[in-house]
Amino acid sequence: MSEVRREGEGIRLRLEVEEAALVRALTEQMLMLLEGPDEAADPLAAALGISENAAKPDDPVLARLFPDAYADDEAAREFRRYTEAGLRDGKREAAGIVLSTLRPGEDVLLDDEQAQAWLRALNDVRLALGTRLDITEEWYDEVAEMDPDDPRFPLYTAYDWLTMLQEHLVRALW
């Protein structure tokens, strides 16, 4: 079982080999999802963090990770144009910190900044998984009645475990 606790100026984190493999796989999938459109068409726009394609994503997971900031479509598109590239970069950076600090079966001492990055990345993974599973407030009741042989069962279990890991990180940080 994973261990998360405050230790001095950092957070001591230990994930079992299987837990670390789950975090790695889901974080790598998140990174692939976050690759986004090729901004090389306009190097100046890319350098300034301006998205050429400011449309709301068709993928429900990306739409959840990058929701519209305004109800008005034009205002939402403009806001997305100037912020989405930076938001993507932040999500990729957090995921990269998770992958670079992940040590299966070993203790890792995260500083507060790294622990915050873990929280952000876990939140993104949970949002993605929750969107794919169509998690609602009643999901615990659904899982309680679900046959363990249902192919979705392990994904719900992973979602629940990620929720627990995120909660332990929050408690250790504060």
Side-chain angles (χ1 to χ4, degrees):
M1 183 62 172
S2 59
E3 180 182 351
V4 182
R5 70 178 189 279
R6 169 67 68 183
E7 187 171 296
E9 294 296 313
I11 304 297
R12 176 132 341 251
L13 172 69
R14 180 184 182 93
L15 298 181
E16 297 302 324
V17 173
E18 298 82 8
E19 295 168 333
L22 176 65
V23 170
R24 177 173 301 285
L26 293 173
T27 303
E28 288 173 346
Q29 289 174 30
M30 176 61 61
L31 279 171
M32 290 178 8
L33 185 66
L34 292 171
E35 284 178 358
D38 181 18
E39 297 292 343
D42 185 349
L44 179 60
L48 295 174
I50 299 171
S51 297
E52 291 296 308
N53 178 10
K56 184 174 182 174
D58 291 331
D59 184 330
V61 170
L62 289 173
R64 181 70 176 102
L65 291 172
F66 303 105
D68 283 338
Y70 299 97
D72 175 69
D73 288 342
E74 185 59 33
R77 193 171 13 265
E78 273 303 292
F79 185 82
R80 182 181 302 281
R81 181 172 177 236
Y82 291 104
T83 61
E84 187 173 325
L87 292 172
R88 278 182 189 269
D89 288 345
K91 290 178 184 305
R92 284 191 287 257
E93 181 182 354
I97 289 170
V98 167
L99 294 175
S100 70
T101 57
L102 196 59
R103 302 285 183 272
E106 297 178 22
D107 285 358
V108 176
L109 188 62
L110 304 173
D111 61 32
D112 284 356
E113 187 176 312
Q114 291 170 319
Q116 290 283 346
W118 268 76
L119 282 177
R120 290 190 304 275
L122 288 174
N123 190 61
D124 289 340
V125 168
R126 286 184 61 251
L127 283 172
L129 191 54
T131 300
R132 290 282 190 246
L133 292 172
D134 196 25
I135 296 284
T136 64
E137 291 181 15
E138 295 81 30
W139 80 275
Y140 273 117
D141 297 333
E142 293 173 31
V143 174
E145 296 175 12
M146 187 178 285
D147 183 341
D149 291 331
D150 187 310
R152 298 170 299 158
F153 189 79
L155 296 173
Y156 281 103
T157 302
Y159 180 86
D160 192 38
W161 179 80
L162 289 168
T163 302
M164 184 257 338
L165 179 59
Q166 190 176 30
E167 178 183 348
H168 286 261
L169 270 168
V170 167
R171 289 179 187 271
L173 273 166
W174 290 281

